[in-house]
Amino acid sequence: MTFLLPVLLAGALLWIPGLVLLLAAGVRSRLWWGAAPALTVTAGAALATVLHLLGVRWSALSTALALALLALALWGARRLLVRRRGAVAGAAPEGPGPSRRLAGLSALTVGGNVLLGLGVVASASRRMGGLDTLNGSYDAFYHLSAVAFLREGGDAFAWAALQGIYGEPTYYPVAFDALAALLPWDPVVSTNALMLACLASLPGAVAAMVAALVPDPVRARLLALCAAGAATLFLSTAAMGLVMGLWPIVLGTVCLPPAVAAVLRVRSRREGGRRGDVLAAVLLMGAAGLAHPSVLFSAAVVAGCVLIGHGIVALQRGRRRHAAKLLGVAAAGAAVYLLGSALTLGDMDLTRRSGLGAGELLWQILADSPRIPAVGAPFWPLAVVWPLAVLGAVTAVRRREAPMVSAAVALVASLVLGLVTDLYGPLATALVNPWYGARERIAPLMMCLLVVLMARGLAALLDGHPRLPRLAAPAAVALLGVTVVAGLAVPGRLPLLGSLAYTAYGVQLAPYVTPQERAFIERTAQELPADAVVLADPRDGATLYWSLGGVGTVYPTMASPITVDQRLIGRYVTDLDDRRLVCGALARERPTHLYRDTSQHAGWRLDAEASAPWEGVRGVPDHQLTLVDRDGPYALYEFTPPC
């Protein structure tokens, strides 16, 4: 299947609702266009809640109508405020309208962002094999099933959408899955298209972040374009989307840059701060959290560092009492965070330590090299970004620029958090619990702050300095441009990442499902009756019976059995010692068929320990099975329960 149309439609789904709401509300700040995906996520969560309460199905039509009503309500509220106040709400700070020069620069910036986004898609998809190619990562199978449940149940409310997985109302950030469920293709194509649209949207979100922090309108647009290019040089977000299947985090990463900008813009009234800045920061941080809670914690790190940054500047200006208050609040917030993380998030420490030395680990973090052995850690992609960021940080400290000093503090914090992911101990665990102890989930925070400071460094070069050559700024921009082009073109970066979980099995991942197995599952699913329920070790790939075939399964995801019935069936379905409990579980789950994979990629052969909860399913005796279909090592049977 061609990539362009599905990715463009997914991009429109990601951007247009937010843009419509912003235009309806009359917002005109430079932050607005980069905040569109974040507002799409926020509006989606709000509309999903309303539709859930009204009993209306979550669908493209119902969502579009609800969005239109919401936009109309915002427009009406704005008109009412205009009449009452006699002034235009949200008037543009740059004047009544952009000059022809600014309009041209804006068009150049937006066009550059679009081209960079398309370049990311072209590079990442070069070796994917097509949008209908299955992503073989563990998390991808979960989200394929989640999309199928959203479509089948017609409910995108975060506490109700995935009852089919958890067996009871359970909160899960379903923003990505809810958007993918609105696309008109099967779950594989829809999720792949939306994931690529998120990666393509990231340069635009980063550009808007920088534009929101630069006062001069001309320079803001030029630096925003440079920032958009720099955003393509970081690999962790692409790795999470293309290799690891962490798609909600990728969506959250698109929401993170405007949240970072909004938080950095917050300042006290004495320094010219406005209530609107605080409201924008809260709204955009909330949007990031709706995409995925880990991203909310990333934005919260910036918020804490804003207190520290302003405290440092206050010390520089001799305001010791004010600085002590700010630093005291920051310390108290850190203590509350550590205590809360230790008490409530202890089960989120799920990532194995790499065992790397401190120097090697720091190098990989500085180079933004993901935890993927097949991907190297060359420093050249960020060799221009880092020196400019250091220059920006030094300039900010010398000139006592609180927002940029805050960004520098937050950058250091992100590096420390990345290093802590490889440490043991309760304090280290509490620090990184919200990111599951995985440094690639923290890396987008480093990217945002590094690009902000890079832009400040470029601005310093544009200002000129007696010790620097006059062409320093053009030379830096040229070097950055060459690096961006090389970063998109080099086969060992985005093209390699795009292949590892799609077509290059054996380099990084072993396939849970081979193309032959997928074809068998899809074919046999079409032949099963409507009330069929398939029993299998889900790590054999049987979750596809539900996500692609629409056939019920006892285990719709590869996660360990969640409900009591699932645990009983998985381990004791052939155990005759306690028939009452097992038979009750079988009566409630009603399995009618059993699927087996005896290939070299069977779940128990890839990871016997992880497949242990289903040892009973694998031991079902032959006299309870009647062969329905077989293709080599893949077989589907009718299942006769033992009771």
Side-chain angles (χ1 to χ4, degrees):
M1 173 177 285
T2 180
F3 282 85
L4 189 58
L5 179 60
V7 173
L8 287 178
L9 182 57
L13 176 63
L14 188 60
W15 283 82
I16 289 178
L19 289 173
V20 168
L21 294 177
L22 287 163
L23 291 173
V27 178
R28 295 291 185 271
S29 80
R30 286 189 294 270
L31 187 61
W32 69 274
W33 52 283
L39 288 189
T40 296
V41 170
T42 305
L47 296 180
T49 302
V50 172
L51 294 177
H52 169 81
L53 294 174
L54 295 176
V56 178
R57 286 185 59 83
W58 174 261
S59 67
L61 178 60
S62 64
T63 306
L65 291 174
L67 177 67
L69 292 174
L70 178 58
L72 185 61
L74 282 175
W75 179 83
R78 180 172 69 91
R79 296 294 298 174
L80 183 61
L81 287 174
V82 168
R83 291 178 182 177
R84 287 187 176 182
R85 296 180 181 179
V88 177
E94 297 171 7
S99 66
R100 185 172 299 178
R101 181 188 181 193
L102 285 181
L105 286 174
S106 296
L108 175 65
T109 303
V110 173
N113 290 333
V114 172
L115 289 177
L116 286 166
L118 292 176
V120 169
V121 171
S123 183
S125 63
R126 192 187 309 174
R127 289 157 59 182
M128 277 180 61
L131 277 179
D132 55 352
T133 306
L134 187 68
N135 183 302
S137 64
Y138 173 92
D139 284 85
F141 283 87
Y142 177 95
H143 293 293
L144 293 177
S145 291
V147 171
F149 274 114
L150 280 160
R151 289 178 173 176
E152 188 267 343
D155 194 345
F157 181 51
W159 274 270
L162 300 185
Q163 289 190 62
I165 291 177
Y166 295 103
E168 60 183 5
T170 303
Y171 175 79
Y172 188 85
V174 295
F176 181 92
D177 305 312
L179 291 174
L182 297 178
L183 294 172
W185 301 283
D186 67 62
V188 173
V189 176
S190 297
T191 53
N192 282 336
L194 184 57
M195 178 268 294
L196 287 174
C198 288
L199 294 180
S201 299
L202 189 55
V206 171
M209 171 184 68
V210 169
L213 295 170
V214 179
D216 180 77
V218 174
R219 185 172 289 188
R221 286 156 173 80
L222 295 175
L223 293 178
L225 185 56
C226 293
T232 67
L233 299 172
F234 296 82
L235 288 186
S236 287
T237 301
M240 288 190 287
L242 294 165
V243 185
M244 302 175 186
L246 302 176
W247 296 328
I249 287 280
V250 176
L251 176 60
T253 299
V254 178
C255 300
L256 181 60
V260 169
V263 172
L264 290 175
R265 285 159 58 105
V266 173
R267 50 190 173 179
S268 66
R269 290 186 180 181
R270 180 174 179 177
E271 297 170 327
R274 298 176 299 177
R275 290 182 181 178
D277 292 337
V278 177
L279 180 61
V282 171
L283 176 63
L284 293 174
M285 287 178 66
L290 288 171
H292 198 283
S294 294
V295 188
L296 171 61
F297 282 97
S298 294
V301 168
V302 181
C305 291
V306 164
L307 294 171
I308 299 174
H310 282 257
I312 291 173
V313 172
L315 282 174
Q316 289 179 307
R317 294 173 178 172
R319 300 174 59 198
R320 295 183 180 180
R321 182 175 297 180
H322 182 62
K325 290 180 180 179
L326 293 173
L327 297 176
V329 172
V336 171
Y337 160 75
L338 287 173
L339 181 62
S341 176
L343 294 177
T344 63
L345 304 178
D347 59 346
M348 294 177 66
D349 181 26
L350 302 178
T351 305
R352 296 177 182 176
R353 274 61 174 176
S354 67
L356 298 174
E360 185 178 0
L361 177 61
L362 179 60
W363 177 269
Q364 291 196 3
I365 292 173
L366 294 177
D368 193 44
S369 176
R371 292 181 302 112
I372 298 175
V375 179
F379 192 70
W380 65 262
L382 300 182
V384 178
V385 176
W386 269 108
L388 288 172
V390 172
L391 175 61
V394 171
T395 303
V397 172
R398 286 181 175 178
R399 298 188 180 183
R400 303 176 182 179
E401 299 171 356
M404 293 299 130
V405 173
S406 302
V409 174
L411 175 60
V412 173
S414 70
L415 295 176
V416 171
L417 288 171
L419 291 170
V420 170
T421 59
D422 224 40
L423 299 179
Y424 292 92
L427 178 60
T429 300
L431 274 171
V432 296
N433 271 340
W435 299 275
Y436 298 83
R439 71 171 190 264
E440 65 272 1
R441 295 175 183 249
I442 302 169
L445 174 62
M446 183 193 78
M447 173 202 68
C448 291
L449 300 164
L450 194 58
V451 172
V452 164
L453 292 171
M454 179 208 75
R456 183 62 188 92
L458 278 175
L461 293 182
L462 290 171
D463 291 335
H465 192 281
R467 296 182 181 179
L468 295 175
R470 296 177 59 185
L471 297 179
V477 172
L479 284 173
L480 180 63
V482 171
T483 306
V484 169
V485 173
L488 291 174
V490 170
R493 289 175 56 78
L494 285 174
L496 175 62
L497 289 176
S499 69
L500 292 177
Y502 288 93
T503 57
Y505 288 118
V507 178
Q508 173 67 24
L509 301 175
Y512 288 108
V513 177
T514 64
Q516 178 189 357
E517 183 177 12
R518 176 184 174 181
F520 175 81
I521 289 174
E522 290 188 289
R523 176 172 57 81
T524 54
Q526 294 177 357
E527 300 168 356
L528 289 174
D531 60 347
V533 177
V534 175
L535 175 64
D537 179 344
R539 288 175 174 264
D540 287 347
T543 61
L544 295 187
Y545 270 105
W546 166 245
S547 59
L548 298 188
V551 176
T553 56
V554 177
Y555 304 101
T557 76
M558 294 184 181
S560 296
I562 296 173
T563 67
V564 174
D565 287 347
Q566 289 176 344
R567 290 194 290 270
L568 284 171
I569 293 172
R571 196 173 289 272
Y572 303 113
V573 66
T574 58
D575 192 338
L576 304 182
D577 293 336
D578 192 346
R579 300 294 296 275
R580 184 174 62 84
L581 293 176
V582 175
C583 287
L586 288 170
R588 286 184 289 272
E589 294 289 345
R590 297 178 290 105
T592 60
H593 293 74
L594 185 139
Y595 171 74
R596 277 182 175 166
D597 173 6
T598 56
S599 71
Q600 61 177 326
H601 301 299
W604 64 272
R605 284 181 169 153
L606 293 176
D607 192 335
E609 182 180 355
S611 284
W614 298 282
E615 61 181 354
V617 174
R618 292 193 299 275
V620 172
D622 291 342
H623 70 269
Q624 294 178 7
L625 304 175
T626 303
L627 182 66
V628 174
D629 202 339
R630 180 189 296 275
D631 183 2
Y634 313 116
L636 181 68
Y637 302 88
E638 285 189 7
F639 171 60
T640 303
C643 49

